[in-house]
Amino acid sequence: MVPKSLIQRYLVGDISEDEVAELDRLLADDPDLRREFVLGAVTDAGLREIAMERAAEPVQRQSRASLEAWSRRVVWLSVAAAVVMVLAFGSSLFQQDSIATLVSSENAAWESSLPTTPGSKLEPGILVLKSGVATICFDSGAKVVLEAPAELELFTPMRTRLLAGAAMIDVPESAIGFVVETPDGYAIDYGTQFAVNVDRQQSQSRFEIIEGEISVHHPKTGDEVRLNGQGKSATVTDQALVVTDSRAMEAIGGTPRGIIRVGTNGRTASAVRHNRRKYIDPDVLLVKRTNKGEWDFRSFFSFDMSTVNLSEVDSARLRLNLVPSSRGFASRLPEINRFGIYGLVERAKADWTIDSLWEESPGPEDGVLLGTFEIPRSQQRGSFGIQNDELLKFLRANQGGPVTLILVRETTQIHGEGPGLAHAFASDSHPEAVGPLLEFTLKATP
């Protein structure tokens, strides 16, 4: 039955118990219908009261006082009816339910009417990120890592639109079917990780698979394509939908370069010198160096290079995402801390496992230094890593199979013997940030 008919029958008292149950279900699922019900109930209650008063008092004997009393009674009944409805159906009668949470805001600057404090609940609306990186987790479980400058419109727990900029999207099983729109097209996710880039100047959107499967759609032409291979991508313009592989060239800022990203597929781990596994958190990669070496942490991760043709690569970058750590105090560290990335060359350590003990795990003594980077002790979030010729040469010398990289902190604490901070970087299982990534820039074609 039409919902409005059910409301009308309820108000006139001509409704069955089954219809009441149906109306109750419809009201619980539809905020707009609840508002309509409130309005109808308030109007009905006011009219009934006025009719009763007028039946008991002839019109010619009504006074200004009685009319004012009727008016006050109608107002009171309106408030009472609204209170009853709020108690029955919650505050969603007057407020829009939240659909997502702003999980993190890394050195971010905003221009947005929505709240921008980490931990804030987000209603439908537009987020404008002017600088930095932010992570939004939808109530469905889908996670969007937004990179400035970018503009993201939130619709529902299962639907969003990237209006400008770049984003990484992670979709768990709970959010299969999550839709990411752009001004040119849209993608439906089937439980995967993919990247989206919207270039307003070029009037095009690019969808790239990191792992898993998505379908990309072109609304104007009706074209649709499934992408299910790492490095596969599709570019949507106003006129066409073009599918490319990992060697395809993309026009970003006028530079004809392609990007390939390789993840670790869960092959990440940390080791602590005391070999106490209870101090290892699988969501983060911990690194720490002490003066005495008693509670040192180091981390290591592996990339499968068999799918990458490095002869076509112009440069390589290792990207790591720093996340907050609750282990120790940053005030005991120097103002600037240096980290080292080593490439494993000791074949005896190549078969490390996630549960490897300190002695069994790869360390800097088992590899060659590929590069360093620095982080201020006050910083808790951000993207860091190395990009240089040494990294690319090492990867080329070891292509065709898995390559292990080792992460250590080279600086030690400078104050006291108490617990200094253990830095934490996201692993593949981290709930807020993306784990280690190798990003390859392809050579420009003539």
Side-chain angles (χ1 to χ4, degrees), residues 131-298:
S131 64
V133 176
T135 300
I136 299 99
C137 186
F138 287 78
D139 291 353
S140 61
K143 181 174 66 177
V144 175
V145 180
L146 194 62
E147 182 176 348
E151 188 172 336
L152 185 72
E153 186 171 5
L154 285 63
F155 293 122
T156 73
M158 289 291 291
R159 195 177 193 94
T160 189
R161 176 186 293 151
L162 184 65
L163 298 169
M168 288 279 295
I169 295 92
D170 282 294
V171 176
E173 290 187 2
S174 63
I176 288 177
F178 188 76
V179 177
V180 177
E181 299 180 8
T182 70
D184 313 290
Y186 65 94
I188 301 175
D189 192 283
Y190 297 99
T192 182
Q193 182 183 71
F194 67 102
V196 185
N197 190 298
V198 175
D199 188 335
R200 280 179 168 172
Q201 291 185 341
Q202 298 290 331
S203 297
Q204 67 179 27
S205 306
R206 184 171 183 268
F207 301 84
E208 178 191 349
I209 280 287
I210 305 300
E211 58 180 349
E213 180 180 7
I214 63 173
S215 62
V216 180
H217 301 254
H218 192 289
K220 287 189 176 181
T221 64
D223 292 340
E224 173 189 352
V225 65
R226 291 259 183 152
L227 303 178
N228 57 8
Q230 188 179 72
K232 293 292 183 65
S233 64
T235 300
V236 184
T237 66
D238 183 62
Q239 301 296 327
L241 169 62
V242 180
V243 181
T244 55
D245 60 19
S246 62
R247 295 168 294 180
M249 296 300 103
E250 62 178 358
I252 302 297
T255 303
R257 297 255 179 121
I259 301 292
I260 302 174
R261 296 181 179 90
V262 178
T264 61
N265 293 320
R267 185 93 166 114
T268 64
S270 299
V272 58
R273 184 180 288 275
H274 276 247
N275 291 328
R276 297 184 183 181
R277 296 300 304 172
K278 67 178 182 179
Y279 294 107
I280 300 298
D281 183 348
D283 289 343
V284 295
L285 301 173
L286 294 170
V287 287
K288 179 180 179 180
R289 183 182 177 189
T290 61
N291 292 320
K292 295 183 178 180
E294 293 181 350
W295 286 101
D296 288 2
F297 287 89
R298 64 190 181 205

